[in-house]
Structure formats: structure tokens, C-alpha cells
Amino acid sequence: MTIWQRLGDLICSLPGSCTLGRALDDLIETVRTMLSGSPEDRRQVAFSVSMIALSAKMAKADGVVTRDEVTAFEQLFDIPAAEHQNVARLFNLAKQDVAGFDAYARKLAGLFEPGSPVFEDIVDGLFHIAKADGMVHQDELAFLDHVASIFGIGEAAFARISSRHIVPEEGDPYLILGIDRAASNDDVKRHYRRIVAETHPDRLIARGVPAEFLAIATAKLAALNGAYDRIRRERAFA
């Protein structure tokens, strides 16, 4: 059974949820309790709910959900045609307003270990949607900053994540890679190889990111590769 089938079954098992009549908060509590006996399913479904709902609220953060943002959401998720309706139910429920996103993010933060890399994966995905209309609006950036702080992502780490998305080709490549400008060529190479390995799809799956969401890794790798290429050309090393 795919992650979408499990999520669809979960949504439609709740009274009224298939007509969007049940509060999102109730759905999250159900995720926490119904899947408590299956850590792997619990982690993957929780990540799915987190990304779908926070993506919808991210799109609503500047007041309007645009077609570009919906398209970006669809790019981020590999959704089988048969499951579009199930995912749309949750997305539409969440996008009604931005209210409550902070409490919702706190609930999701409790589903993973403190400091888990999965929180950065989520913020990366939200940035992908935020920039879909050509820029990250101030209200969207404030939304992202607040979600990141709830997840325990500090200011320096958030700046590094932001730099991968806000005009990365013009940003500081050292900030994008998260390495000091004074690092040696060998240190830069080792650091780059390590963070690329950490971004490999197999690593994402190991920390509870469903295979359907691996477009997150592709987008992140593109930014990391671009930054490394700029440093390599600047320093003229192979």
C-alpha cells in the first residue's frame, strides 16, 4: 500500500473528513494515536500530513493561493492520479486560512527526535512553494522563519536554508554550503561530499521521508552543486 493510499484511508476513516467537515487538528491527533503501534508508518504518514498541510498554509501566507504555488506543490509530491482526490481533501482543508499553523507545527515537531534533519527537509519543501510565484514575500518568509524556530532550526541554519532558495545563483556559495570561507580546498571538497551524501535519497528515506517526496532532495542537490561549482571555479581546483 502506498503512502497516499494509507493517508487517503486515514482521512476517509474519520467522520465528516471526506467532506472537509473535521478540523485539521483532530486529524493530526488521529495520526498520532492510530499509528502509534507502527513507528515507520507513523513517521511517514506524519511527514506526509506535515508537508501537505504546511504547504497549503504556506501558499496562503501572503493572502492568496496562486496557481503557481499549487503547481509547485504538485511538483514536490509524486501523487498517483488515483490519489489526487485524497490529497486535495487535506490540502483544501488546510489552505482555508493560515491560523493555527504554529500549533500544528509544534504537534508535528513532537513526532520526530529533536534536531532531526527531517525538519530541514520540510522547510526546504516549503521554500520551494514560497518562491513559485517568482519571489518569497515577507509574510511567507516570516511564516518560514517561525516554522523553522518551532522545529528548533537556529538563525544560522535558517539563513543557510534561505540562501539555497532566494536567488541562489547570486547568494554566497559558502553560506549555501554551510562552510567557512577560510576553509582549505581539501576541507571544501570533504564538506561538499559529506553534505551531498546526507542529501542522497536513501538518507532521506532512512530518516522517515517517504519515497514519494524525494523531489526535495533533487532541488537541494541542485543548489549545493551550483554553489560548489562556483567555489571550484573561483579557486580553480579540480
Side-chain angles (χ1 to χ4, degrees):
M1 180 178 291
T2 69
I3 189 71
W4 300 115
Q5 289 170 324
R6 293 200 299 271
L7 183 55
D9 289 347
L10 177 60
I11 294 170
C12 288
S13 71
L14 303 175
S17 64
C18 283
T19 58
L20 305 182
R22 191 180 183 96
L24 181 62
D25 190 63
D26 292 341
L27 177 59
I28 303 312
E29 285 304 312
T30 302
V31 170
R32 292 173 63 91
T33 57
M34 288 181 64
L35 299 178
S36 58
S38 176
E40 183 62 22
D41 278 357
R42 181 173 179 265
R43 187 167 56 248
Q44 291 200 356
V45 172
F47 182 85
S48 303
V49 171
S50 171
M51 283 304 303
I52 294 168
L54 284 180
S55 293
K57 290 184 181 296
M58 174 74 258
K60 187 70 172 180
D62 60 353
V64 179
V65 179
T66 69
R67 179 64 244 179
D68 287 337
E69 289 169 327
V70 174
T71 298
F73 167 80
E74 293 170 346
Q75 290 171 345
L76 201 61
F77 298 82
D78 182 14
I79 308 171
E83 302 301 327
H84 278 192
Q85 187 176 10
N86 286 328
V87 176
R89 290 187 181 110
L90 183 52
F91 187 88
N92 289 334
L93 175 62
K95 78 173 185 180
Q96 291 174 6
D97 57 48
V98 181
F101 81 90
D102 49 350
Y104 173 71
R106 288 189 184 93
K107 289 180 182 294
L108 268 294
L111 292 175
F112 298 92
E113 293 295 323
S116 171
V118 76
F119 297 128
E120 186 168 319
D121 298 331
I122 293 172
V123 176
D124 266 316
L126 295 175
F127 259 109
H128 177 74
I129 295 168
K131 65 186 181 183
D133 56 0
M135 66 176 294
V136 179
H137 299 271
Q138 286 302 312
D139 288 343
E140 293 171 325
L141 192 60
F143 177 102
L144 289 161
D145 186 33
H146 192 42
V147 169
S149 67
I150 290 170
F151 289 162
I153 296 173
E155 290 184 9
F158 183 71
R160 173 172 48 78
I161 298 168
S162 302
S163 68
R164 292 201 296 263
H165 297 277
I166 301 176
V167 198
E169 64 275 10
E170 298 177 9
D172 182 350
Y174 293 91
L175 177 59
I176 293 172
L177 288 184
I179 191 168
D180 192 279
R181 186 175 292 274
S184 68
N185 290 349
D186 286 342
D187 285 342
V188 170
K189 293 176 184 178
R190 281 192 292 269
H191 179 77
Y192 169 72
R193 287 194 291 266
R194 179 178 61 79
I195 60 176
V196 166
E198 290 174 352
T199 309
H200 190 279
D202 288 346
R203 291 287 185 91
L204 268 69
I205 292 173
R207 59 184 180 244
V209 178
E212 291 88 346
F213 296 99
L214 296 186
I216 294 171
T218 302
K220 183 175 179 178
L221 281 171
L224 296 175
N225 290 337
Y228 180 72
D229 285 343
R230 287 168 57 196
I231 294 173
R232 184 175 53 80
R233 291 194 303 269
E234 175 188 301
R235 295 188 176 203
F237 66 77

